[in-house]
Amino acid sequence: MPRSISTADGRSALEAVRIASASSAVPARTDLATAVRYLLQLLAEKAPGHSVEVRVPPFGAVQVVEGPRHTRGTPPNVVEMEPLTWIALATGQQEWMDATAAGRISASGVRADVSDLLPLRP
C-alpha cells in the first residue's frame, strides 16, 4: 500500500502547481506528482471500490466506485487523463463535459463517468 500523503503536503503541492501554472511556468515534477497522487488519494477515500480505474500517467492510478471487482487484464471501466487536466477537474477549475469535449479525457466503460464525484475538496 502506498504511503499516505498528508493534507499539508498535498495542499502545498497543489498551491505550487497553481502558482507555476498561473505564471505559465511548468510545475516542478515533484509538486505535480504529489498533487496528482494526493487528489487520487482523496478520490479513493470519497468513492472506495474497484469497478473504475482512474489513471493519471505517469504519476498514479486508483480503483474507485463500488461495484464488480476487476482482477485481471485491462479493467472494463477506465478513465485516463494528463496530470494538469486531473488537477483542474479535481479542484473544480474545469468541468468534466468541457474536458471530455476537448478530448482531454479518455473514458471507456459504462461506469467511467466519475463527474458526479468531482470536484474534490482538497
Side-chain angles (χ1 to χ4, degrees):
M1 178 172 200
R3 125 182 126 79
S4 191
I5 298 170
S6 72
T7 300
D9 288 346
R11 288 180 177 169
S12 176
L14 283 168
E15 181 64 10
V17 169
R18 186 194 66 76
I19 290 169
S21 295
S23 66
S24 298
V26 175
R29 183 173 172 83
T30 55
D31 291 330
L32 196 56
T34 301
V36 164
R37 291 176 183 142
Y38 175 64
L39 292 169
L40 287 172
Q41 174 183 302
L42 293 180
L43 179 63
E45 290 169 2
K46 184 175 185 176
H50 297 282
S51 67
V52 179
E53 185 165 292
V54 178
R55 300 174 180 170
V56 185
F59 300 121
V62 293
Q63 290 188 356
V64 295
V65 183
E66 289 184 13
R69 183 180 185 99
H70 172 75
T71 57
R72 293 182 57 182
T74 301
N77 301 290
V78 176
V79 179
E80 187 169 323
M81 66 200 81
E82 294 181 348
L84 291 176
T85 300
W86 168 240
I87 291 170
L89 288 168
T91 59
Q93 297 170 340
Q94 185 170 34
E95 294 293 323
W96 180 271
M97 289 181 62
D98 295 337
T100 302
R104 291 190 208 119
I105 297 174
S106 170
S108 63
V110 296
R111 297 171 165 245
D113 183 345
V114 294
S115 61
D116 59 325
L117 300 172
L118 303 173
L120 301 169
R121 301 290 176 226

